[in-house]
Amino acid sequence: MRPKHPYRKVSSEEKDGNAPFKMIGSIIKSSLALTAISWSSYSPISTAIDSHNTPPPSPSNFFEISASNITSSYEQRWSGAKLKQWAIKKINFSIPKEQEICFTHVGKAGGSTLGCSLGFSLHCHDDGVGVGGDDASIQMENHTSSSLLAKLTTHIFHKDVYNCDDDAGYILFVVRDPIARALSAFNYDKPDEYDFLHSPDWAKRKAHFYSDCPFYQMEDFVQNGLREEGDSPDRCKRWAKKSIQGINTHNHQSPDHWYFNYQYYLEAIPSDSKILTIRNEHIEQDIRSIENLFECHEQERLALAKSANVGSDQDRSLYLSDESISILCQALCNEIQFYKKILHGAINMSQDQLRVSLMELEAKCPHELLMNAWV
């Protein structure tokens, strides 16, 4: 049975033990207890920054050690478990535990680009299985040799690989507008001819989601599967709702990153974690805000690397009608609340930055913006 990290919420629907499951809060109106609030009721982000007493890291706190792989809490926590190659990072310096950052790579939010830049190798010059080759190793070494943020980011959490130390100084999230992330995840797992040729078992399994029900494109998925009057059997509508809300994976046929959603990642980390957040839509600005918080020198700035994890979406696969966006907002209401919570808790984000993201969210999901699903 695959190891579960200690914060995993285990669902009663778990049967086969082949993948981690969590208990998802119900999205049904009768159990959400959503309360409408105005923007003015958000506690100021500046308060979170003022209350942060841990001094920012400084390069002077580093000291050289022999080149070695960073200790894996994942392997220590689960006897016999082997950390995946893309999560292994080799360094030649030591960082005090209170200054360490664990990178929470939320899928389809721009995490591969950021991860490659920070020194991890998932989808860096991709070899087809998610692990970069020699070029990726060189890229990792180049970035960790100069960037302060890359040096501080020692561990990673992605999908079922929870390799964060619970006493790490900071947790770094990369996030993206929930509607755009859901669309990207749908397109990402849709198999094509290359997948059927090189990963036939995976492609055949995933194809069920897109062909057994009329879910050919995301627009079709919303109109046929989520819309009450949709042209699909009831079983497809149940499948659609449970998949988009991350309630289960349906034997891994649904898009993986719908299951591994914001709630999954946020509930996995310690509740008192100090959160840093980089928004996909403002990635350069947010990287700089973190570096400024840590009093980074100009020569220690992070340079973004290239990721091989780029989809080949065509215009049609990116299309969503206004009606479909509205339906998606309702289906993703719980996910939107956790997205807002991550933004709201980020110690590197100013009130102005938060306001910009909320305005961007309001343009798509005005009703869900005013809801508050956490107590």
Side-chain angles (χ1 to χ4, degrees):
M1 184 170 180
R2 183 176 291 173
K4 298 179 178 67
H5 61 66
Y7 300 94
R8 184 67 40 77
K9 304 295 187 293
V10 181
S11 171
S12 59
E13 294 183 326
E14 180 174 7
K15 295 180 181 178
D16 59 11
N18 291 326
F21 283 78
K22 62 185 182 308
M23 185 66 72
I24 299 291
S26 175
I27 317 299
I28 302 174
K29 291 183 179 179
S30 60
S31 60
L32 256 183
L34 298 175
T35 303
I37 57 174
S38 66
W39 285 14
S40 61
S41 64
Y42 284 93
S43 58
I45 295 299
S46 57
T47 302
I49 297 175
D50 293 340
S51 63
H52 174 60
N53 297 320
T54 304
S58 168
S60 62
N61 292 319
F62 304 154
F63 57 89
E64 296 291 321
I65 61 174
S66 299
S68 61
N69 292 333
I70 297 175
T71 302
S72 169
S73 58
Y74 179 82
E75 293 180 352
Q76 291 177 340
R77 190 176 288 122
W78 307 110
S79 177
K82 187 68 174 178
L83 187 64
K84 295 184 179 181
Q85 187 64 36
W86 52 257
I88 297 174
K89 187 171 178 178
K90 182 173 289 189
I91 62 172
N92 63 344
F93 49 84
S94 179
I95 302 169
K97 181 60 65 176
E98 67 273 11
Q99 298 177 354
E100 283 189 0
I101 298 173
C102 185
F103 173 45
T104 299
H105 176 169
V106 179
K108 309 319 297 173
S112 296
T113 295
L114 186 59
C116 295
S117 305
L118 294 172
F120 301 101
S121 60
L122 183 62
H123 302 305
C124 309
H125 302 284
D126 210 331
D127 62 0
V129 295
V131 179
D134 293 338
D135 288 342
S137 299
I138 295 171
Q139 179 172 258
M140 288 165 59
E141 293 175 5
N142 289 341
H143 278 84
T144 55
S145 66
S146 58
S147 165
L148 174 62
L149 183 56
K151 286 181 178 179
L152 294 173
T153 308
T154 55
H155 295 76
I156 190 171
F157 171 25
H158 179 60
K159 295 178 71 172
D160 59 336
V161 178
Y162 179 78
N163 195 39
C164 294
D165 291 338
D166 288 345
D167 56 351
Y170 305 88
I171 303 292
L172 172 61
F173 275 87
V174 58
V175 298
R176 185 182 188 181
D177 155 40
I179 304 300
R181 195 184 85 86
L183 172 58
S184 181
F186 177 93
N187 290 332
Y188 182 70
D189 269 11
K190 186 177 182 180
D192 56 21
E193 292 182 5
Y194 180 92
D195 296 320
F196 279 104
L197 181 62
H198 294 89
S199 304
D201 292 339
W202 178 89
K204 290 176 183 177
R205 184 176 70 249
K206 289 296 182 182
H208 286 289
F209 180 78
Y210 299 90
S211 59
D212 287 1
C213 293
F215 300 160
Y216 318 114
Q217 305 290 345
M218 187 67 166
E219 176 73 8
D220 303 315
F221 166 80
V222 177
Q223 290 292 317
N224 296 327
L226 296 181
R227 190 167 61 95
E228 189 173 343
E229 304 82 5
D231 186 18
S232 65
D234 288 343
R235 65 175 181 84
C236 289
K237 292 182 180 179
R238 290 193 296 270
W239 190 359
K241 185 174 181 180
K242 287 186 175 182
S243 296
I244 194 68
Q245 293 175 349
I247 293 176
N248 68 44
T249 63
H250 290 86
N251 297 319
H252 310 288
Q253 295 175 356
S254 306
D256 288 344
H257 292 299
W258 286 356
Y259 174 80
F260 295 105
N261 57 16
Y262 291 128
Q263 179 178 1
Y264 170 87
Y265 287 104
L266 191 59
E267 288 188 344
I269 64 174
S271 59
D272 60 349
S273 298
K274 296 181 179 68
I275 293 177
L276 305 166
T277 299
I278 293 176
R279 300 161 295 169
N280 175 277
E281 299 86 355
H282 308 280
I283 187 168
E284 293 275 4
Q285 178 187 9
D286 292 346
I287 288 172
R288 299 302 170 242
S289 72
I290 293 173
E291 291 175 334
N292 291 340
L293 180 67
F294 292 167
E295 300 178 358
C296 178
H297 297 147
E298 191 62 35
Q299 65 271 23
E300 298 168 329
R301 300 285 187 186
L302 181 69
L304 285 176
K306 292 183 178 180
S307 165
N309 193 27
V310 179
S312 57
D313 292 330
Q314 302 298 316
D315 289 343
R316 175 167 168 73
S317 63
L318 294 175
Y319 172 75
L320 282 174
S321 65
D322 290 343
E323 181 187 31
S324 291
I325 290 174
S326 179
I327 293 171
L328 266 179
C329 289
Q330 295 177 42
L332 290 171
C333 181
N334 194 62
E335 174 78 339
I336 289 170
Q337 307 316 309
F338 278 90
Y339 168 73
K340 285 159 51 181
K341 190 172 184 179
I342 294 170
L343 292 177
H344 189 69
I347 63 173
N348 64 297
M349 196 166 296
S350 69
Q351 285 183 287
D352 286 342
Q353 290 171 313
L354 175 62
R355 188 176 297 110
V356 167
S357 288
L358 294 180
M359 290 174 64
E360 292 169 346
L361 181 61
E362 182 186 33
K364 291 183 178 180
C365 306
H367 299 296
E368 289 71 23
L369 172 71
L370 296 179
M371 292 181 175
N372 179 22
W374 62 87
V375 180

